[in-house]
Amino acid sequence: MTRSNGQSSRTSPRYSPVHVDSSESEDDTTTNERTPFVKRGRAYQQPDDDEELSMTPGADIWSTFKTRLRYYVPVFRWLPHYSIDSLGHDFIAGLTVACLIIPQSLSYATALARLEPVHGLYSAFVPGVIYAIFGTSRQLSVGPEALVSMLVGTAIAQQQHASGSTDPKTALAIGCFITLFVGLFTFFLGFVRLGFLDSVLSRALLRGFITAVAVVVIIEQSITLFGLKALAEEFGIGEQSSTVEKLVFIVEHFSKIHPLTTIVSFSSIVFLLSFGSIKKRLNKVPVLQFIPEILLCVILYTVLTAIFRWDKDGLAILGATKAARIQLPSIPAAPEGVNVRALFGTSVLISIIGFVESIVITKQYATKHNYSVSPNRELVAMGVANVAGGLFQAIPAFGSLSRSKINDKAGARTQLAGFITALIVLLAIFFLLPYFFYLPKAVLAGIICVAALSLLSEAPHDIKFMWQIQAWSDLGLLLLTFIATISVSVEAGTLIAIALSFLLVIKTSTYPRITIMGRMPGTKGKFRPIKDYPGIAEHIDGVLIIKVEEGLYFANTGQLKDRLHRLEVFGDMSVHPSEEARLNPVSHVIFDVENMPYLDASAAQILLEIVEAYHARHIKVYFVKLRENSRELFINSELLDRAGGEAHLFGRTADAMEYIEHETLALNENERQV
């Protein structure tokens, strides 16, 4: 192509919307994974259940219905192909988990949620059955969890304190409404495909929150462990009291602990921890791994209490439990004096925390056993499970790491293992509850403390890792969440953890990823990020080369003008704005947009304003490797015309630099002639 009068004669591969030769020595830090100028992604995805959603030409309505049914209700996928060889493994796994979930359900419902123990068993039965039908994970054990149960118990205590009611029916109605709201909100998240939420929450914030909750649970259960429950009620220490107030109460009244209760409590904790330690050390003994130490502990202390009648010596026992009966699902009447709408906030927190914990477990075992899971369908499954649970007077249910680990070790092959667990829980509801009459409440508190200690055991590893890599900001966030949860309340800690996680995501997403490029010494066509090659890649006097590393849209273009100005003046975003300018004034700006896969209207308008601002300062703008899908928007928004038209589009940064150099030489020649 021949140019004159400032457009010197040169030959170069001009911009082509069809193809850009990426095999030549290029001007940026590209890798062998080039971004083609076409829509991509499907070729690199593993075959998934989603493939069945595509309809073949001529598919009739019935076949489409069956395809959708197998996708959205997974039981119709795995049950028709169920192998009888898997039944033995699933039965053993279901029985093993049932031996664990039954005493856990009694503990969580009684000591944490402050409800009758049967409602904990309802939570293990109803959601367990529903999840076996709708769930996609084969190893996940669904039922009541310590953290979730505590949030429910705290909400119940707060509402009862506000209304002045101590009626158990009021507490049950509050618990049922929370479970219903949890189910509806979780289902909504899945319906609108928000399964990516588990990737939004910061690990540091979650670790600080979970660690704090474990400490809160241990301090709260210590009142029961030391037999100070009645004394605490006399001094007005209850669920509405802060963790600090409970700790101060325990310290001040430590001399009044009940000796028998204390002995039973801590001996049960020692039993559980010792048995668990033995199982870890002898992990090569298969039979030992399937022994349910929690069930053994419950049976042992129940029998000892019944024989020696420790209840007459002041040891608090579970006592008579509510008789189980079959009832139709129903929505409870709104309790008098209780603001039902206020329960929705707690339900949202429970839903998010429960789902995040569950989906981590789900992905872990899906990876281990090489099958796919869908976070969105997991949300739907847990939502339906909790809605059904709320109608049957259950507390919220989500996945449990400890039970899922046992379920996997016991050989669970399909969701039938969870269904078998639920059926065994149903038998316990009808036939085993009377046998727990002499079960000491101190043992239930001990079971909860052991679960809390398992949550605490994960914190040192994460803290050590953050310290090792000097992630001070993450450590600060962890401590902030921990202190807020301990000193204020669990709800405050939950809100801070979630709010800060979203703020961090928003901050990151609104920070445009752009890099200033420099030319490598001794070359004309190789350009590298100056921050990656400090002291090697060279600034080009009068030319600013900006590489856009991501798609631009309304959220991340708000700070684009400010970032471009700082790069133009300082050449580095790490330089404080108060410093003196470090670069000479520029006369040409090159935007390398190869890695900008999309552009929305807001971003196009911002870019148009940036180009106009540059032109007002007599700075020329060029674009390199503009994609075809963005080119149409450039034309329609007149951004291409304002930038200089097709003459300012190039296939390589080296070509743009060659054009600028020729133009500069021609301009200097004209000035000399004048």
Side-chain angles (χ1 to χ4, degrees):
M1 185 178 296
T2 304
R3 293 183 179 273
S4 59
N5 298 329
Q7 298 180 357
S8 304
S9 174
R10 67 184 181 93
T11 302
S12 66
R14 299 292 299 169
Y15 167 79
S16 170
V18 179
H19 175 71
V20 171
D21 185 4
S22 60
S23 62
E24 59 186 326
S25 175
E26 211 4 328
D27 47 80
D28 56 14
T29 53
T30 55
T31 65
N32 56 2
E33 185 185 351
R34 288 265 176 190
T35 304
F37 287 20
V38 294
K39 190 174 181 179
R40 64 169 186 167
R42 295 296 296 174
Y44 300 100
Q45 295 178 356
Q46 286 186 334
D48 191 84
D49 291 341
D50 294 327
E51 301 296 334
E52 291 198 17
L53 288 179
S54 58
M55 291 180 57
T56 57
D60 57 19
I61 297 177
W62 175 243
S63 63
T64 303
F65 172 77
K66 290 191 296 183
T67 300
R68 300 296 191 274
L69 186 65
R70 288 195 299 269
Y71 180 79
Y72 291 110
V73 188
V75 69
F76 290 106
R77 173 185 299 277
W78 60 263
L79 189 58
H81 305 286
Y82 189 81
S83 172
I84 197 66
D85 297 334
S86 302
L87 182 60
H89 296 277
D90 285 338
F91 180 79
I92 293 175
L95 178 62
T96 304
V97 174
C99 294
L100 175 64
I101 200 173
I102 290 172
Q104 279 188 340
S105 301
L106 296 173
S107 303
Y108 297 157
T110 306
L112 294 179
R114 310 297 177 185
L115 297 173
E116 293 287 336
V118 69
H119 300 292
L121 295 177
Y122 288 158
S123 183
F125 166 61
V126 178
V129 171
I130 300 300
Y131 184 82
I133 297 173
F134 291 94
T136 60
S137 176
R138 303 167 189 172
Q139 283 77 32
L140 186 68
S141 174
V142 174
E145 262 294 275
L147 175 56
V148 170
S149 301
M150 183 178 180
L151 291 173
V152 172
T154 303
I156 290 175
Q158 289 176 346
Q159 290 295 328
Q160 285 188 312
H161 180 72
S163 63
S165 173
T166 58
D167 186 5
K169 292 183 178 180
T170 301
L172 176 59
I174 295 172
C176 291
F177 272 111
I178 290 176
T179 307
L180 280 171
F181 289 157
V182 166
L184 291 172
F185 183 73
T186 308
F187 178 85
F188 171 77
L189 292 179
F191 183 77
V192 297
R193 305 181 67 81
L194 294 180
F196 60 85
L197 280 176
D198 65 300
S199 304
V200 172
L201 299 183
S202 164
R203 183 186 179 101
L205 289 167
L206 283 178
R207 177 55 57 209
F209 171 71
I210 292 173
T211 303
V213 167
V215 173
V216 169
V217 168
I218 291 173
I219 293 175
E220 180 175 319
Q221 295 305 308
S222 295
I223 296 177
T224 303
L225 293 175
F226 291 118
L228 297 173
K229 189 70 176 176
L231 188 62
E233 292 176 355
E234 291 181 13
F235 282 83
I237 301 296
E239 291 297 326
Q240 74 281 358
S241 304
S242 68
T243 303
V244 176
E245 290 174 337
K246 293 174 183 176
L247 181 60
V248 171
F249 168 80
I250 293 172
V251 173
E252 290 179 347
H253 298 86
F254 191 76
S255 60
K256 299 179 181 180
I257 64 174
H258 189 262
L260 178 59
T261 302
T262 305
I263 293 172
V264 170
S265 300
F266 285 91
S267 62
S268 65
I269 292 175
V270 170
F271 175 87
L272 292 171
L273 292 177
S274 301
F275 207 105
S277 178
I278 292 172
K279 288 171 70 174
K280 287 182 179 178
R281 292 183 180 181
L282 303 177
N283 57 358
K284 295 183 179 180
V285 182
V287 177
L288 187 62
Q289 305 304 315
F290 300 145
I291 298 177
E293 66 270 22
I294 294 180
L295 185 62
L296 285 180
C297 182
V298 167
I299 294 174
L300 174 63
Y301 282 94
T302 301
V303 172
L304 289 175
T305 304
I307 293 175
F308 297 105
R309 295 306 304 270
W310 287 340
D311 56 309
K312 293 185 177 181
D313 295 325
L315 180 66
I317 59 175
L318 192 61
T321 56
K322 178 182 176 182
R325 58 188 178 87
I326 299 177
Q327 60 180 17
L328 295 175
S330 61
I331 299 177
E336 186 176 351
V338 174
N339 185 4
V340 176
R341 287 179 295 180
L343 301 175
F344 190 74
T346 301
S347 303
V348 171
L349 301 180
I350 291 174
S351 175
I352 294 176
I353 294 296
F355 167 68
V356 168
E357 184 179 1
S358 300
I359 198 62
V360 169
I361 304 168
T362 298
K363 290 181 178 179
Q364 175 183 337
Y365 288 105
T367 302
K368 179 179 178 180
H369 295 282
N370 194 29
Y371 63 88
S372 62
V373 292
S374 167
N376 293 313
R377 285 188 289 161
E378 282 294 291
L379 280 167
V380 170
M382 292 175 189
V384 175
N386 279 291
V387 168
L391 297 177
F392 282 95
Q393 300 183 350
I395 58 178
F398 286 96
S400 163
L401 178 59
S402 59
R403 293 197 303 265
S404 300
K405 186 182 298 182
I406 292 174
N407 199 29
D408 178 55
K409 286 185 177 180
R413 300 280 184 87
T414 66
Q415 292 88 326
L416 186 65
F419 185 78
I420 292 172
T421 297
L423 291 182
I424 296 174
V425 171
L426 180 62
L427 295 177
I429 292 173
F430 284 107
F431 303 110
L432 297 183
L433 274 179
Y435 296 100
F436 293 113
F437 182 89
Y438 288 103
L439 174 60
K441 290 185 177 181
V443 173
L444 296 178
I447 293 172
I448 293 172
C449 284
V450 171
L453 287 173
S454 68
L455 295 177
L456 279 177
S457 65
E458 301 171 6
H461 176 269
D462 285 357
I463 294 174
K464 179 182 177 182
F465 179 78
M466 293 176 194
W467 185 276
Q468 182 178 346
I469 64 173
Q470 299 182 353
W472 310 126
S473 59
D474 286 341
L475 272 176
L477 292 172
L478 187 152
L479 289 174
L480 174 64
T481 311
F482 179 85
I483 293 171
T485 306
I486 293 290
S487 59
V488 184
S489 66
V490 174
E491 288 79 5
T494 309
L495 285 171
I496 288 175
I498 294 175
L500 286 179
S501 292
F502 277 96
L503 285 176
L504 289 173
V505 171
I506 293 172
K507 178 185 176 182
T508 304
S509 63
T510 56
Y511 199 73
R513 294 169 53 205
I514 57 176
T515 306
I516 186 169
M517 309 291 287
R519 183 153 54 190
M520 298 299 287
T523 68
K524 287 190 175 182
K526 287 187 178 181
F527 297 84
R528 296 292 183 266
I530 291 179
K531 65 177 182 179
D532 295 339
Y533 294 84
I536 301 176
E538 301 171 343
H539 284 285
I540 303 173
D541 193 38
V543 180
L544 184 67
I545 305 175
I546 300 295
K547 185 176 180 63
V548 182
E549 301 283 1
E550 63 181 348
L552 297 179
Y553 64 112
F554 69 94
N556 66 357
T557 50
Q559 301 183 51
L560 187 58
K561 293 180 181 178
D562 178 64
R563 293 208 67 200
L564 286 172
H565 174 70
R566 291 181 64 179
L567 288 176
E568 178 186 340
V569 174
F570 304 111
D572 190 350
M573 288 300 298
S574 62
V575 179
H576 195 274
S578 63
E579 298 287 336
E580 295 293 332
R582 298 187 178 184
L583 297 180
N584 295 326
V586 301
S587 55
H588 303 274
V589 176
I590 301 173
F591 287 100
D592 182 346
V593 292
E594 179 187 16
N595 293 334
M596 186 183 75
Y598 56 85
L599 182 79
D600 73 354
S602 299
Q605 189 171 8
I606 294 291
L607 278 179
L608 182 61
E609 294 172 359
I610 290 172
V611 170
E612 290 176 342
Y614 277 137
H615 282 178
R617 296 164 53 199
H618 306 291
I619 298 175
K620 296 183 178 181
V621 180
Y622 310 86
F623 288 93
V624 174
K625 300 178 186 175
L626 180 66
R627 294 176 179 234
E628 182 63 21
N629 57 345
S630 299
R631 186 173 183 273
E632 183 178 355
L633 187 56
F634 268 53
I635 295 173
N636 294 337
S637 64
E638 298 183 356
L639 176 57
L640 184 59
D641 291 338
R642 301 291 178 87
E646 296 283 348
H648 282 214
L649 291 183
F650 296 88
R652 300 188 316 153
T653 305
D655 297 336
M657 281 301 307
E658 182 184 349
Y659 175 79
I660 292 171
E661 290 169 355
H662 279 277
E663 187 179 58
T664 303
L665 288 174
L667 182 61
N668 293 337
E669 183 66 26
N670 290 338
E671 289 178 351
R672 281 196 298 268
Q673 292 177 0
V674 172

